[in-house]
């Protein structure tokens, strides 16, 4: 049975060109970039080349990028590093209610350490209101952090507008752009951001490499103490093969973003148009137009997501859901709850996230296998039975 | 994640459906908690001669309902009342830890259906029990509106562990 992988929000395949570029750094070029001999120099050059490539992807200067191990580390460094470096100015931080756990839980930790966290609500599409950011800023506010795009519902936030406000108010602005960079255009200057998180694994690069963009002149406190790698902001021997891979993935992305966007959008649009013709009582989540091109987030009413996922898996289709039954802590997606979607509906959410190796036929296959699965589960659902009895 | 037995019952659930004019009906959980099960029984000479269920829930919840229905069929009411969540989980060759609460629901739904039958027999009207959720961490029953588990003190409505590679 062919496998149809539509869970690119969770993990992406490595581009073969990226893999090839990485291989020598596992084998012959194993030197430590901090060593002064030739092997070290080779590794250091590879590192700096990758830094230039990743910087170009987001229109930053190479020296404004700090390599990290993943998006989570970048987000931790941004929030905690800024909080610690700027706490003498104030202890207030503003985030949105739909952030990734690596922002949300960082904010919780900072709150316990005495910082004041404002969590902004979102509208039913998951959008943060820039006006609300403006109203929430006080003289004690040191940082605003709003994600660039949300992988669960696909919504792209009005970052440039928020950036204008934070710039005018003289408050630092961070965006978690992990799900955007490499997939849609991201330009740190157009966005008016001071810090930006990205991760290689979300644009066909390897896991284990990320970066934090820190605008020149912004003070930040490192979280890892040790050697003076990454200008002293991130100690620890660099993961050279992964960073080299991230650099190549960034170059490929820069070239391919327009093509990626139009292709992935064609798959998403088709699925979005065809699903309602085949399955009644579904609703699409997230913003209808301001969204990630490969993301289709849909709630199937009256049934639960994990059961759908298991049956889809048996049909070779891999995808995700915001259902509590899938999460390790058994809680419904906080993103969906923040958007005002009730818990029962969020239980039946499905997330298709397409990637470049998906084919138009994959959409046909999904359209063929999903309706009978939904019908089967609805036929055994007491919630569906009650809802239908009410409608009758 | 799931045993072969769980997957078998999930793929081919036994006794799915509704019994019109059932002798006893038991309903537990609700979609907000994550799972909801309704059990219907037909009783003749103190023996469960037919059982059907409907379930809103994950793979484990569906498999549990199916297994409970199979275990209850043909049993006396006393025997069926002895079916415990532990025995259901064992019969399914184990459940992942975070899914154990599903097995509580299955046994509860059956027991409520038996209770309902007994009450009807005694001429009392069936009163549905107050809505409850099981704590996913320690299995203690809590009223649906509780914020914090009365058993382990953990939050019942805070953020989940949905994972994306970051």
């Amino acid at each position: 049975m062919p496998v149809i992988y539509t869970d690119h929000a969770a993990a992406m395949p490595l581009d073969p060109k990226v893999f090839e570029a990485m291989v020598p750094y596992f084998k012959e070029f194993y030197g430590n970039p901090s060593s002064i001999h030739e092997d070290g120099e080779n590794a250091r050059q590879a590192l700096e080349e990758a830094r230039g490539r990743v910087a170009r992807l987001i229109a930053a200067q190479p020296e404004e990028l700090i390599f990290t191990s993943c998006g989570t580390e970048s987000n931790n460094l941004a929030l905690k590093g800024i909080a610690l470096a700027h706490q003498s100015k104030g202890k207030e931080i503003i985030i949105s209610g739909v952030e990734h756990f690596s922002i949300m839980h960082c904010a919780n930790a900072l709150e316990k350490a005495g910082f004041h966290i404002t969590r902004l609500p979102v509208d039913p599409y998951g959008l943060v209101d820039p006006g609300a950011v403006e109203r929430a800023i006080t003289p004690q506010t040191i940082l605003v952090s709003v994600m660039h795009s949300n992988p669960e519902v696909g919504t792209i936030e009005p970052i440039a507008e928020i950036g204008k406000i934070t710039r005018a108010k003289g408050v630092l602005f961070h965006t978690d752009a992990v799900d955007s960079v490499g997939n849609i255009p991201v330009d740190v200057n157009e966005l008016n951001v001071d810090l930006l998180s990205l991760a290689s694994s979300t644009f066909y690069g390897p896991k284990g490499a990320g970066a934090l963009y820190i605008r020149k002149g912004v003070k930040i406190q490192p979280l890892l103490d040790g050697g003076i790698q990454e200008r002293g902001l991130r100690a620890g021997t660099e993961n050279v093969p992964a960073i080299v891979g991230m650099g190549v993935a960034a170059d490929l992305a820069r070239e391919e973003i327009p093509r990626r966007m139009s292709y992935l959008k064609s798959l998403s649009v088709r699925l979005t148009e065809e699903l309602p013709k085949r399955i009644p009582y579904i609703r699409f989540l997230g913003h209808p137009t301001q969204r990630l091109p490969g993301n289709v987030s849909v709630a199937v009413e009256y049934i639960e997501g994990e059961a759908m996922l298991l049956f889809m898996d048996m049909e070779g289709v891999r995808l995700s859901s915001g259902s509590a039954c899938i999460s390790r802590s058994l809680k419904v997606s906080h993103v969906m709850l923040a958007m005002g979607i009730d818990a029962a509906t969020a239980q039946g959410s499905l997330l298709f996230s397409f990637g470049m190796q998906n084919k138009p036929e994959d959409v046909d296959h999904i359209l063929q296998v999903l309706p009978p699965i939904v019908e089967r589960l609805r036929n055994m659902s007491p919630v569906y039975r009650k809802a239908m009895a009410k409608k009758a | 994640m799931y045993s072969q037995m769980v997957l078998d019952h999930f793929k081919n659930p036994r006794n799915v459906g509704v019994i019109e004019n059932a002798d006893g009906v038991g309903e537990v959980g609700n979609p907000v908690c994550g799972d909801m099960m309704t059990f219907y029984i037909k009783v003749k000479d103190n023996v469960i001669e037919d059982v059907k269920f409907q379930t809103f829930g994950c793979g484990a919840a569906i498999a549990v309902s199916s297994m409970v229905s199979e275990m209850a069929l043909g049993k006396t009411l006393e025997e069926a009342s002895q079916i415990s969540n532990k025995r259901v989980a064992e019969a399914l060759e184990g459940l992942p830890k975070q899914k154990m609460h599903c097995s509580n629901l299955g046994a509860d739904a059956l027991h409520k259906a038996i209770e309902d039958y007994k009450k009807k027999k005694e001429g009392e009207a069936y009163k549905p029990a107050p809505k409850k959720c099981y704590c996913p961490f320690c299995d203690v029953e809590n009223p649906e509106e509780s914020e914090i588990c009365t058993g382990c003190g953990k939050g019942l409505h805070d953020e989940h562990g949905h994972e994306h590679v970051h």
Side-chain angles (χ1 to χ4, degrees), chain A residues 287-316:
Chain A
H287 198 278
T289 54
Q290 267 172 255
R291 56 185 301 106
L292 290 170
N295 177 300
V296 178
S297 186
V298 58
V300 181
E301 307 249 28
Y302 315 124
I303 52 177
E304 188 277 326
E306 192 216 67
M308 279 189 277
L309 254 55
L310 287 172
F311 278 132
M312 288 293 271
D313 196 24
M314 292 171 198
E315 298 288 349

PDB file of all heavy atoms in Angstrom, chain A residues 287-316:
ATOM      1  N   HIS A 287      -7.607  30.959   9.418  1.00  0.00           N
ATOM      2  CA  HIS A 287      -8.020  32.015   8.494  1.00  0.00           C
ATOM      3  C   HIS A 287      -8.201  31.465   7.078  1.00  0.00           C
ATOM      4  O   HIS A 287      -7.392  30.667   6.622  1.00  0.00           O
ATOM      5  CB  HIS A 287      -6.977  33.136   8.504  1.00  0.00           C
ATOM      6  CG  HIS A 287      -7.502  34.411   7.942  1.00  0.00           C
ATOM      7  ND1 HIS A 287      -7.553  34.649   6.589  1.00  0.00           N
ATOM      8  CD2 HIS A 287      -8.036  35.512   8.540  1.00  0.00           C
ATOM      9  CE1 HIS A 287      -8.083  35.849   6.381  1.00  0.00           C
ATOM     10  NE2 HIS A 287      -8.386  36.389   7.547  1.00  0.00           N
ATOM     11  N   PRO A 288      -9.272  31.886   6.373  1.00  0.00           N
ATOM     12  CA  PRO A 288      -9.511  31.317   5.040  1.00  0.00           C
ATOM     13  C   PRO A 288      -8.442  31.692   4.012  1.00  0.00           C
ATOM     14  O   PRO A 288      -8.166  30.909   3.096  1.00  0.00           O
ATOM     15  CB  PRO A 288     -10.879  31.871   4.642  1.00  0.00           C
ATOM     16  CG  PRO A 288     -11.155  33.013   5.565  1.00  0.00           C
ATOM     17  CD  PRO A 288     -10.355  32.776   6.816  1.00  0.00           C
ATOM     18  N   THR A 289      -7.840  32.870   4.111  1.00  0.00           N
ATOM     19  CA  THR A 289      -6.853  33.259   3.096  1.00  0.00           C
ATOM     20  C   THR A 289      -5.456  33.496   3.666  1.00  0.00           C
ATOM     21  O   THR A 289      -4.461  33.129   3.052  1.00  0.00           O
ATOM     22  CB  THR A 289      -7.296  34.526   2.349  1.00  0.00           C
ATOM     23  OG1 THR A 289      -7.570  35.555   3.312  1.00  0.00           O
ATOM     24  CG2 THR A 289      -8.549  34.266   1.527  1.00  0.00           C
ATOM     25  N   GLN A 290      -5.367  34.120   4.853  1.00  0.00           N
ATOM     26  CA  GLN A 290      -4.052  34.380   5.441  1.00  0.00           C
ATOM     27  C   GLN A 290      -3.561  33.119   6.116  1.00  0.00           C
ATOM     28  O   GLN A 290      -3.641  32.978   7.347  1.00  0.00           O
ATOM     29  CB  GLN A 290      -4.175  35.465   6.511  1.00  0.00           C
ATOM     30  CG  GLN A 290      -3.910  36.856   5.989  1.00  0.00           C
ATOM     31  CD  GLN A 290      -4.232  37.869   7.047  1.00  0.00           C
ATOM     32  OE1 GLN A 290      -5.249  38.537   6.980  1.00  0.00           O
ATOM     33  NE2 GLN A 290      -3.379  37.986   8.062  1.00  0.00           N
ATOM     34  N   ARG A 291      -3.077  32.146   5.298  1.00  0.00           N
ATOM     35  CA  ARG A 291      -2.721  30.873   5.911  1.00  0.00           C
ATOM     36  C   ARG A 291      -1.530  30.216   5.211  1.00  0.00           C
ATOM     37  O   ARG A 291      -1.215  30.533   4.069  1.00  0.00           O
ATOM     38  CB  ARG A 291      -3.920  29.944   5.955  1.00  0.00           C
ATOM     39  CG  ARG A 291      -4.600  29.672   4.616  1.00  0.00           C
ATOM     40  CD  ARG A 291      -5.853  28.822   4.792  1.00  0.00           C
ATOM     41  NE  ARG A 291      -5.543  27.555   5.420  1.00  0.00           N
ATOM     42  CZ  ARG A 291      -5.834  27.239   6.678  1.00  0.00           C
ATOM     43  NH1 ARG A 291      -6.474  28.076   7.439  1.00  0.00           N
ATOM     44  NH2 ARG A 291      -5.490  26.068   7.172  1.00  0.00           N
ATOM     45  N   LEU A 292      -0.926  29.274   5.901  1.00  0.00           N
ATOM     46  CA  LEU A 292       0.177  28.502   5.340  1.00  0.00           C
ATOM     47  C   LEU A 292      -0.348  27.717   4.137  1.00  0.00           C
ATOM     48  O   LEU A 292      -1.408  27.091   4.229  1.00  0.00           O
ATOM     49  CB  LEU A 292       0.741  27.529   6.392  1.00  0.00           C
ATOM     50  CG  LEU A 292       1.509  28.165   7.553  1.00  0.00           C
ATOM     51  CD1 LEU A 292       1.786  27.126   8.639  1.00  0.00           C
ATOM     52  CD2 LEU A 292       2.816  28.787   7.068  1.00  0.00           C
ATOM     53  N   PRO A 293       0.389  27.736   3.012  1.00  0.00           N
ATOM     54  CA  PRO A 293      -0.167  27.165   1.780  1.00  0.00           C
ATOM     55  C   PRO A 293      -0.441  25.662   1.845  1.00  0.00           C
ATOM     56  O   PRO A 293      -1.366  25.183   1.191  1.00  0.00           O
ATOM     57  CB  PRO A 293       0.886  27.491   0.724  1.00  0.00           C
ATOM     58  CG  PRO A 293       2.121  27.893   1.459  1.00  0.00           C
ATOM     59  CD  PRO A 293       1.684  28.405   2.790  1.00  0.00           C
ATOM     60  N   GLY A 294       0.323  24.908   2.637  1.00  0.00           N
ATOM     61  CA  GLY A 294       0.154  23.459   2.632  1.00  0.00           C
ATOM     62  C   GLY A 294      -0.707  22.928   3.762  1.00  0.00           C
ATOM     63  O   GLY A 294      -0.751  21.726   4.003  1.00  0.00           O
ATOM     64  N   ASN A 295      -1.395  23.816   4.461  1.00  0.00           N
ATOM     65  CA  ASN A 295      -2.086  23.418   5.693  1.00  0.00           C
ATOM     66  C   ASN A 295      -3.602  23.391   5.512  1.00  0.00           C
ATOM     67  O   ASN A 295      -4.196  24.386   5.095  1.00  0.00           O
ATOM     68  CB  ASN A 295      -1.690  24.426   6.791  1.00  0.00           C
ATOM     69  CG  ASN A 295      -2.391  24.180   8.113  1.00  0.00           C
ATOM     70  OD1 ASN A 295      -3.616  24.211   8.174  1.00  0.00           O
ATOM     71  ND2 ASN A 295      -1.632  23.957   9.159  1.00  0.00           N
ATOM     72  N   VAL A 296      -4.205  22.242   5.794  1.00  0.00           N
ATOM     73  CA  VAL A 296      -5.666  22.140   5.809  1.00  0.00           C
ATOM     74  C   VAL A 296      -6.073  21.607   7.179  1.00  0.00           C
ATOM     75  O   VAL A 296      -5.767  20.472   7.533  1.00  0.00           O
ATOM     76  CB  VAL A 296      -6.204  21.201   4.706  1.00  0.00           C
ATOM     77  CG1 VAL A 296      -7.721  21.080   4.795  1.00  0.00           C
ATOM     78  CG2 VAL A 296      -5.799  21.706   3.325  1.00  0.00           C
ATOM     79  N   SER A 297      -6.726  22.463   7.951  1.00  0.00           N
ATOM     80  CA  SER A 297      -7.143  22.097   9.302  1.00  0.00           C
ATOM     81  C   SER A 297      -8.664  22.046   9.306  1.00  0.00           C
ATOM     82  O   SER A 297      -9.327  23.024   8.973  1.00  0.00           O
ATOM     83  CB  SER A 297      -6.634  23.163  10.282  1.00  0.00           C
ATOM     84  OG  SER A 297      -6.904  22.782  11.601  1.00  0.00           O
ATOM     85  N   VAL A 298      -9.204  20.894   9.651  1.00  0.00           N
ATOM     86  CA  VAL A 298     -10.653  20.726   9.518  1.00  0.00           C
ATOM     87  C   VAL A 298     -11.206  19.968  10.721  1.00  0.00           C
ATOM     88  O   VAL A 298     -10.580  19.039  11.214  1.00  0.00           O
ATOM     89  CB  VAL A 298     -10.982  20.007   8.180  1.00  0.00           C
ATOM     90  CG1 VAL A 298     -10.312  18.660   8.085  1.00  0.00           C
ATOM     91  CG2 VAL A 298     -12.479  19.865   7.970  1.00  0.00           C
ATOM     92  N   ALA A 299     -12.354  20.418  11.200  1.00  0.00           N
ATOM     93  CA  ALA A 299     -13.008  19.719  12.312  1.00  0.00           C
ATOM     94  C   ALA A 299     -14.167  18.910  11.762  1.00  0.00           C
ATOM     95  O   ALA A 299     -15.026  19.433  11.059  1.00  0.00           O
ATOM     96  CB  ALA A 299     -13.491  20.718  13.350  1.00  0.00           C
ATOM     97  N   VAL A 300     -14.153  17.618  12.076  1.00  0.00           N
ATOM     98  CA  VAL A 300     -15.228  16.721  11.660  1.00  0.00           C
ATOM     99  C   VAL A 300     -16.126  16.543  12.882  1.00  0.00           C
ATOM    100  O   VAL A 300     -15.688  15.989  13.897  1.00  0.00           O
ATOM    101  CB  VAL A 300     -14.666  15.359  11.199  1.00  0.00           C
ATOM    102  CG1 VAL A 300     -15.788  14.443  10.742  1.00  0.00           C
ATOM    103  CG2 VAL A 300     -13.646  15.554  10.075  1.00  0.00           C
ATOM    104  N   GLU A 301     -17.337  17.020  12.790  1.00  0.00           N
ATOM    105  CA  GLU A 301     -18.209  17.022  13.964  1.00  0.00           C
ATOM    106  C   GLU A 301     -18.682  15.614  14.344  1.00  0.00           C
ATOM    107  O   GLU A 301     -18.822  14.740  13.490  1.00  0.00           O
ATOM    108  CB  GLU A 301     -19.439  17.896  13.696  1.00  0.00           C
ATOM    109  CG  GLU A 301     -19.075  19.286  13.238  1.00  0.00           C
ATOM    110  CD  GLU A 301     -19.400  20.368  14.245  1.00  0.00           C
ATOM    111  OE1 GLU A 301     -19.404  20.090  15.454  1.00  0.00           O
ATOM    112  OE2 GLU A 301     -19.655  21.496  13.798  1.00  0.00           O
ATOM    113  N   TYR A 302     -18.923  15.438  15.638  1.00  0.00           N
ATOM    114  CA  TYR A 302     -19.547  14.254  16.242  1.00  0.00           C
ATOM    115  C   TYR A 302     -18.657  13.023  16.356  1.00  0.00           C
ATOM    116  O   TYR A 302     -19.120  11.978  16.817  1.00  0.00           O
ATOM    117  CB  TYR A 302     -20.847  13.861  15.508  1.00  0.00           C
ATOM    118  CG  TYR A 302     -21.736  15.018  15.197  1.00  0.00           C
ATOM    119  CD1 TYR A 302     -22.151  15.281  13.886  1.00  0.00           C
ATOM    120  CD2 TYR A 302     -22.168  15.880  16.211  1.00  0.00           C
ATOM    121  CE1 TYR A 302     -22.964  16.360  13.596  1.00  0.00           C
ATOM    122  CE2 TYR A 302     -22.987  16.965  15.925  1.00  0.00           C
ATOM    123  CZ  TYR A 302     -23.364  17.209  14.616  1.00  0.00           C
ATOM    124  OH  TYR A 302     -24.164  18.278  14.322  1.00  0.00           O
ATOM    125  N   ILE A 303     -17.388  13.100  15.913  1.00  0.00           N
ATOM    126  CA  ILE A 303     -16.493  11.958  16.123  1.00  0.00           C
ATOM    127  C   ILE A 303     -15.142  12.462  16.614  1.00  0.00           C
ATOM    128  O   ILE A 303     -14.879  13.662  16.607  1.00  0.00           O
ATOM    129  CB  ILE A 303     -16.321  11.068  14.865  1.00  0.00           C
ATOM    130  CG1 ILE A 303     -15.935  11.912  13.663  1.00  0.00           C
ATOM    131  CG2 ILE A 303     -17.581  10.273  14.596  1.00  0.00           C
ATOM    132  CD1 ILE A 303     -15.685  11.082  12.413  1.00  0.00           C
ATOM    133  N   GLU A 304     -14.301  11.513  17.011  1.00  0.00           N
ATOM    134  CA  GLU A 304     -13.042  11.867  17.659  1.00  0.00           C
ATOM    135  C   GLU A 304     -11.868  11.642  16.694  1.00  0.00           C
ATOM    136  O   GLU A 304     -11.897  10.724  15.868  1.00  0.00           O
ATOM    137  CB  GLU A 304     -12.913  11.004  18.925  1.00  0.00           C
ATOM    138  CG  GLU A 304     -11.763  11.355  19.834  1.00  0.00           C
ATOM    139  CD  GLU A 304     -10.483  10.736  19.378  1.00  0.00           C
ATOM    140  OE1 GLU A 304     -10.505   9.617  18.832  1.00  0.00           O
ATOM    141  OE2 GLU A 304      -9.433  11.396  19.544  1.00  0.00           O
ATOM    142  N   GLY A 305     -10.833  12.460  16.855  1.00  0.00           N
ATOM    143  CA  GLY A 305      -9.715  12.484  15.908  1.00  0.00           C
ATOM    144  C   GLY A 305      -8.813  11.262  15.902  1.00  0.00           C
ATOM    145  O   GLY A 305      -8.427  10.787  14.838  1.00  0.00           O
ATOM    146  N   GLU A 306      -8.488  10.735  17.084  1.00  0.00           N
ATOM    147  CA  GLU A 306      -7.539   9.621  17.101  1.00  0.00           C
ATOM    148  C   GLU A 306      -8.086   8.415  16.351  1.00  0.00           C
ATOM    149  O   GLU A 306      -7.367   7.725  15.638  1.00  0.00           O
ATOM    150  CB  GLU A 306      -7.181   9.204  18.539  1.00  0.00           C
ATOM    151  CG  GLU A 306      -5.991   8.257  18.560  1.00  0.00           C
ATOM    152  CD  GLU A 306      -6.090   7.188  19.627  1.00  0.00           C
ATOM    153  OE1 GLU A 306      -6.978   6.317  19.537  1.00  0.00           O
ATOM    154  OE2 GLU A 306      -5.279   7.224  20.548  1.00  0.00           O
ATOM    155  N   ALA A 307      -9.382   8.165  16.524  1.00  0.00           N
ATOM    156  CA  ALA A 307     -10.002   7.033  15.833  1.00  0.00           C
ATOM    157  C   ALA A 307      -9.894   7.230  14.320  1.00  0.00           C
ATOM    158  O   ALA A 307      -9.577   6.293  13.581  1.00  0.00           O
ATOM    159  CB  ALA A 307     -11.450   6.880  16.269  1.00  0.00           C
ATOM    160  N   MET A 308     -10.115   8.470  13.859  1.00  0.00           N
ATOM    161  CA  MET A 308      -9.975   8.760  12.422  1.00  0.00           C
ATOM    162  C   MET A 308      -8.535   8.535  11.978  1.00  0.00           C
ATOM    163  O   MET A 308      -8.284   7.945  10.924  1.00  0.00           O
ATOM    164  CB  MET A 308     -10.378  10.208  12.137  1.00  0.00           C
ATOM    165  CG  MET A 308     -11.867  10.426  12.029  1.00  0.00           C
ATOM    166  SD  MET A 308     -12.276  12.097  11.430  1.00  0.00           S
ATOM    167  CE  MET A 308     -12.196  13.042  12.948  1.00  0.00           C
ATOM    168  N   LEU A 309      -7.590   9.012  12.798  1.00  0.00           N
ATOM    169  CA  LEU A 309      -6.168   8.872  12.460  1.00  0.00           C
ATOM    170  C   LEU A 309      -5.749   7.411  12.333  1.00  0.00           C
ATOM    171  O   LEU A 309      -4.997   7.051  11.431  1.00  0.00           O
ATOM    172  CB  LEU A 309      -5.311   9.544  13.538  1.00  0.00           C
ATOM    173  CG  LEU A 309      -4.672  10.880  13.170  1.00  0.00           C
ATOM    174  CD1 LEU A 309      -5.701  11.873  12.702  1.00  0.00           C
ATOM    175  CD2 LEU A 309      -3.887  11.434  14.326  1.00  0.00           C
ATOM    176  N   LEU A 310      -6.256   6.570  13.236  1.00  0.00           N
ATOM    177  CA  LEU A 310      -5.891   5.146  13.199  1.00  0.00           C
ATOM    178  C   LEU A 310      -6.412   4.498  11.913  1.00  0.00           C
ATOM    179  O   LEU A 310      -5.693   3.755  11.249  1.00  0.00           O
ATOM    180  CB  LEU A 310      -6.465   4.411  14.415  1.00  0.00           C
ATOM    181  CG  LEU A 310      -5.784   4.682  15.760  1.00  0.00           C
ATOM    182  CD1 LEU A 310      -6.589   4.042  16.894  1.00  0.00           C
ATOM    183  CD2 LEU A 310      -4.358   4.152  15.784  1.00  0.00           C
ATOM    184  N   PHE A 311      -7.668   4.809  11.576  1.00  0.00           N
ATOM    185  CA  PHE A 311      -8.221   4.237  10.338  1.00  0.00           C
ATOM    186  C   PHE A 311      -7.503   4.795   9.108  1.00  0.00           C
ATOM    187  O   PHE A 311      -7.254   4.064   8.142  1.00  0.00           O
ATOM    188  CB  PHE A 311      -9.727   4.503  10.234  1.00  0.00           C
ATOM    189  CG  PHE A 311     -10.562   3.522  11.012  1.00  0.00           C
ATOM    190  CD1 PHE A 311     -11.569   3.959  11.861  1.00  0.00           C
ATOM    191  CD2 PHE A 311     -10.363   2.150  10.879  1.00  0.00           C
ATOM    192  CE1 PHE A 311     -12.354   3.060  12.577  1.00  0.00           C
ATOM    193  CE2 PHE A 311     -11.135   1.236  11.594  1.00  0.00           C
ATOM    194  CZ  PHE A 311     -12.132   1.700  12.443  1.00  0.00           C
ATOM    195  N   MET A 312      -7.162   6.080   9.137  1.00  0.00           N
ATOM    196  CA  MET A 312      -6.442   6.677   7.998  1.00  0.00           C
ATOM    197  C   MET A 312      -5.062   6.037   7.865  1.00  0.00           C
ATOM    198  O   MET A 312      -4.604   5.774   6.759  1.00  0.00           O
ATOM    199  CB  MET A 312      -6.305   8.195   8.185  1.00  0.00           C
ATOM    200  CG  MET A 312      -7.593   8.976   8.018  1.00  0.00           C
ATOM    201  SD  MET A 312      -8.226   8.948   6.317  1.00  0.00           S
ATOM    202  CE  MET A 312      -7.388  10.373   5.618  1.00  0.00           C
ATOM    203  N   ASP A 313      -4.427   5.790   8.999  1.00  0.00           N
ATOM    204  CA  ASP A 313      -3.116   5.149   9.012  1.00  0.00           C
ATOM    205  C   ASP A 313      -3.201   3.784   8.335  1.00  0.00           C
ATOM    206  O   ASP A 313      -2.323   3.387   7.574  1.00  0.00           O
ATOM    207  CB  ASP A 313      -2.648   5.024  10.470  1.00  0.00           C
ATOM    208  CG  ASP A 313      -1.153   4.744  10.568  1.00  0.00           C
ATOM    209  OD1 ASP A 313      -0.420   5.085   9.623  1.00  0.00           O
ATOM    210  OD2 ASP A 313      -0.728   4.190  11.589  1.00  0.00           O
ATOM    211  N   MET A 314      -4.283   3.052   8.630  1.00  0.00           N
ATOM    212  CA  MET A 314      -4.470   1.735   8.008  1.00  0.00           C
ATOM    213  C   MET A 314      -4.652   1.864   6.500  1.00  0.00           C
ATOM    214  O   MET A 314      -4.415   0.915   5.752  1.00  0.00           O
ATOM    215  CB  MET A 314      -5.687   1.033   8.622  1.00  0.00           C
ATOM    216  CG  MET A 314      -5.486   0.631  10.075  1.00  0.00           C
ATOM    217  SD  MET A 314      -7.035   0.048  10.795  1.00  0.00           S
ATOM    218  CE  MET A 314      -6.659   0.194  12.539  1.00  0.00           C
ATOM    219  N   GLU A 315      -5.108   3.044   6.040  1.00  0.00           N
ATOM    220  CA  GLU A 315      -5.242   3.291   4.600  1.00  0.00           C
ATOM    221  C   GLU A 315      -3.972   3.931   4.037  1.00  0.00           C
ATOM    222  O   GLU A 315      -3.949   4.391   2.901  1.00  0.00           O
ATOM    223  CB  GLU A 315      -6.429   4.225   4.330  1.00  0.00           C
ATOM    224  CG  GLU A 315      -7.784   3.683   4.762  1.00  0.00           C
ATOM    225  CD  GLU A 315      -8.282   2.559   3.851  1.00  0.00           C
ATOM    226  OE1 GLU A 315      -7.691   2.348   2.783  1.00  0.00           O
ATOM    227  OE2 GLU A 315      -9.268   1.891   4.230  1.00  0.00           O
ATOM    228  N   GLY A 316      -2.937   4.014   4.866  1.00  0.00           N
ATOM    229  CA  GLY A 316      -1.653   4.553   4.403  1.00  0.00           C
ATOM    230  C   GLY A 316      -1.526   6.054   4.515  1.00  0.00           C
ATOM    231  O   GLY A 316      -0.537   6.619   4.068  1.00  0.00           O
TER     232      GLY A 316
END
